[in-house]
């Protein structure tokens, strides 16, 4: 088997291909807007109040899991599990939305 080396040109080609794909890709702004709208609705209707609160602190306010745990007086692992379960629930709700 021959030793294959990647030179700098191969990474340039990948970069060129990425630029070309962006320029020739279809506009998906309608799909993204529909996904955002459905995500807001799913967060309101499908999540528990605790999941909504923790997701808002984590994603909307940008707090880290230890910060959320201290703020709410719970374990960091509880925050982690709650975020994971909320994401799974949202995924199940949204996977067929597009």
């Amino acid at each position: 088997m021959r030793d294959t080396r990647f030179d700098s040109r191969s990474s340039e080609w990948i970069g060129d291909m990425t630029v070309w794909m962006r320029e020739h890709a279809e506009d998906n702004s309608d799909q993204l807007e529909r996904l955002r709208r459905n995500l807001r609705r799913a967060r309101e209707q499908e999540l528990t109040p605790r999941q909504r609160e923790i997701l808002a602190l984590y994603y909307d306010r940008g707090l880290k899991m230890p910060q959320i745990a201290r703020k709410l007086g719970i374990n960091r692992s509880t925050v982690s599990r709650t975020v994971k379960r909320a994401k799974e629930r949202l995924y199940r709700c949204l996977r067929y939305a597009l």
Side-chain angles (χ1 to χ4, degrees):
M1 186 173 245
R2 204 169 81 184
D3 183 27
T4 306
R5 293 192 173 184
F6 295 101
D7 60 5
S8 63
R9 181 63 191 138
S10 65
S11 62
E12 289 174 19
W13 181 83
I14 291 171
D16 294 343
M17 199 60 193
T18 303
V19 170
W20 183 87
M21 288 175 66
R22 272 194 206 127
E23 290 173 355
H24 292 86
E26 292 181 31
D27 181 25
N28 64 348
S29 59
D30 291 338
Q31 289 177 327
L32 288 174
E33 183 54 38
R34 187 169 51 243
L35 179 62
R36 285 186 195 103
R37 189 173 48 247
N38 290 340
L39 178 59
R40 281 191 298 272
R41 187 176 303 132
R43 278 178 72 170
E44 293 168 5
Q45 296 176 357
E46 300 296 329
L47 298 181
T48 66
R50 178 65 127 199
Q51 288 173 334
R52 280 195 300 271
E53 178 183 23
I54 290 175
L55 281 189
L57 292 171
Y58 187 67
Y59 287 110
D60 301 339
R61 296 207 28 221
L63 296 179
K64 305 285 186 222
M65 289 188 191
Q67 294 171 319
I68 296 169
R70 278 193 304 277
K71 181 177 179 69
L72 299 178
I74 57 178
N75 249 334
R76 193 205 69 78
S77 62
T78 303
V79 174
S80 177
R81 283 192 308 271
T82 303
V83 168
K84 181 178 186 261
R85 289 178 183 147
K87 285 170 51 176
E88 288 170 351
R89 184 178 275 191
L90 289 173
Y91 174 75
R92 282 193 307 271
C93 293
L94 296 173
R95 79 177 141 190
Y96 299 114
L98 294 176

